[in-house]
Amino acid sequence: IEAAQARGDKQAAKEMQGILLRRRGELEDMLGRVKATDFEGFPHDRAGIATGVKLQYADGRSETYYILGEWDKDEKLGIISCETRMAKALDGRKAGDRVTVPTEHGDTECTVVEVTGLSEGVKAWVEGK
């Protein structure tokens, strides 16, 4: 019985190795296709990639998010990936729109106060400065 279990464990390990090697190949392929962008020339009349979005909540607080590429994130600067739930909720919105956004305590409604281009700090971050 123990020999059969050992053979089964070896087979499972080999299968997992195959899965991990395939995933590694997929990730290497994705990295090979990644292209840096400076996010210049993107429109900012509506929320989307390369925009800043200022939100006002009912309790009076406000937050600004900068929507960048799929792998971009910097909490201190408010940079979020275009793939986040927040970015998807904001996509296509314009100043004055009411929108339901995800928060740590569940979804809540807020108002889009302003949609802008990227701040100088975010541009510097994009340029690696």
Side-chain angles (χ1 to χ4, degrees):
I1 294 177
E2 289 179 18
Q5 282 181 322
R7 280 193 302 274
D9 289 346
K10 286 181 183 179
Q11 181 63 31
K14 285 186 181 221
E15 288 175 12
M16 181 56 73
Q17 181 183 30
I19 291 168
L20 293 173
L21 287 172
R22 276 191 301 281
R23 183 65 180 142
R24 177 183 171 186
E26 291 168 359
L27 291 171
E28 287 174 345
D29 182 55
M30 287 172 64
L31 282 172
R33 288 185 279 137
V34 170
K35 294 183 177 136
T37 182
D38 60 8
F39 296 100
E40 291 294 323
F42 281 76
H44 50 83
D45 56 328
R46 294 180 177 268
I49 291 179
T51 62
V53 184
K54 184 176 183 179
L55 303 176
Q56 182 79 42
Y57 295 91
D59 63 7
R61 70 185 167 89
S62 64
E63 295 179 319
T64 301
Y65 294 97
Y66 295 96
I67 304 169
L68 295 183
E70 184 174 351
W71 295 349
D72 296 321
K73 178 182 177 183
D74 187 304
E75 288 184 26
K76 288 189 299 186
L77 293 174
I79 296 170
I80 61 173
S81 162
C82 59
E83 294 297 318
T84 61
R85 284 185 58 220
M86 177 65 80
K88 289 179 179 184
L90 298 173
D91 191 42
R93 303 297 181 146
K94 59 185 181 204
D97 286 354
R98 300 281 297 158
V99 60
T100 301
V101 297
T103 69
E104 295 172 357
H105 308 291
D107 292 353
T108 191
E109 194 171 280
C110 61
T111 302
V112 175
V113 175
E114 180 180 33
V115 178
T116 67
L118 302 179
S119 71
E120 291 305 314
V122 172
K123 287 179 184 178
W125 184 88
V126 168
E127 293 171 3
K129 296 180 181 176

